[in-house]
Amino acid sequence: MAQMALPSLKENVQERRIILIGKLGAGKSHSGNGILGTKQFVSKRSWSSITRRCEYGSAIRDGFRYRIYDTPGVNSPQEMQKKIDVETDIKRCLYCTSPGFHAIVLVLSASERIAKEDLQMLQNLDVLLEESAFEYMILVITKLENDENELNELLAEAPEVVKLNVKCGGRHVIFGDDKKEIPKECVQKFDNMLTKLIKENSKRGKEYYRHKFYDQATKILEKDKNDYMKKNPGISESDAFETVRNNAAEGRSPRDDELKGLKDPRCAGCSIS
């Protein structure tokens, strides 16, 4: 797993912060590597989730610093849920990462039909992320040749995905069917779409998606930051906060139980996995 490197004070590069969400086997890690332009996430065919916790990758490509958070696959098999608390891992990432995300990338595989369980997962994602999340969402379609006509044929048989695409403002990108790399034209289309999305949200004064529990989590992490600064007296407050936020996103906060206690009463008992 890539280490969560702190941003350099000398680094004057615009950031693009992204979280990847999707089903087990949809190709999130492969997509993340394609966006980064370098292989940082483990990606291979498997019956089990390769990504066991939220993982972080960072790289400079085409003049931008991409910071990507890869999450475990939702809809994991029952036996895996004992090892991976997918919902908790995603929530940690949403609550603890500062200053938020420019884009929520929902990865869908064209090789699988939408099942009843997938519809329930999408509904529960609605509750977890809230309606405002769709203003930051981009759909990435994997395991499909870069052909919009073929995608339209698939969409004709999947009204649920059509509705999702509409809620996302029609923002979707096909990432091809190459197991080794994502075609350059697909990555370029994604980059252009992301640039436009950031500009639109910045004009609204809402450049970043922030979860509703972000402020509550920040208060908890203030305590982590103060403890960390006592143990590391030479560190700046901003670097200390960045460190404890990244630790918390990976489940390594000493107050992890408090963070996990932040729950939505409307979603009592619901799970996205």
Side-chain angles (χ1 to χ4, degrees), residues 132-238:
S132 63
F134 294 103
E135 297 171 353
Y136 300 85
M137 191 172 286
I138 298 175
L139 301 183
V140 161
I141 314 299
T142 62
K143 304 177 184 179
L144 179 71
E145 292 298 328
N146 188 20
D147 186 339
E148 285 286 337
N149 291 327
E150 187 174 351
L151 176 60
N152 288 334
E153 291 178 7
L154 291 174
L155 290 176
E157 301 175 359
E160 299 84 6
V161 180
V162 173
K163 292 177 184 177
L164 182 61
N165 187 45
V166 171
K167 292 178 76 172
C168 295
R171 291 183 297 273
H172 67 265
V173 184
I174 301 171
F175 264 17
D177 196 24
D178 190 327
K179 299 181 182 68
K180 294 183 178 179
E181 63 179 7
I182 296 168
K184 291 182 179 178
E185 63 270 20
C186 297
V187 177
Q188 185 61 57
K189 182 177 179 181
F190 176 86
D191 288 348
N192 294 339
M193 191 172 293
L194 179 59
T195 296
K196 182 179 179 181
L197 177 64
I198 293 173
K199 287 181 178 178
E200 290 174 350
N201 286 331
S202 294
K203 286 181 180 178
R204 299 189 301 112
K206 297 180 179 180
E207 180 178 354
Y208 299 99
Y209 166 81
R210 285 185 174 177
H211 194 273
K212 61 189 174 184
F213 291 155
Y214 176 89
D215 291 336
Q216 293 180 53
T218 296
K219 291 180 181 178
I220 295 172
L221 295 178
E222 281 276 1
K223 303 173 187 176
D224 283 9
K225 179 204 68 177
N226 293 336
D227 291 345
Y228 190 84
M229 291 184 72
K230 289 177 182 178
K231 295 178 181 178
N232 300 272
I235 196 170
S236 70
E237 184 172 359
S238 60

Side-chain angles (χ1 to χ4, degrees), residues 28 37 40 85 87 123 126 146 153 164 166 224 240:
K28 295 185 308 302
Q40 296 194 23
D85 189 342
E87 185 175 2
Q123 291 173 6
D126 276 358
N146 188 20
E153 291 178 7
L164 182 61
V166 171
D224 283 9

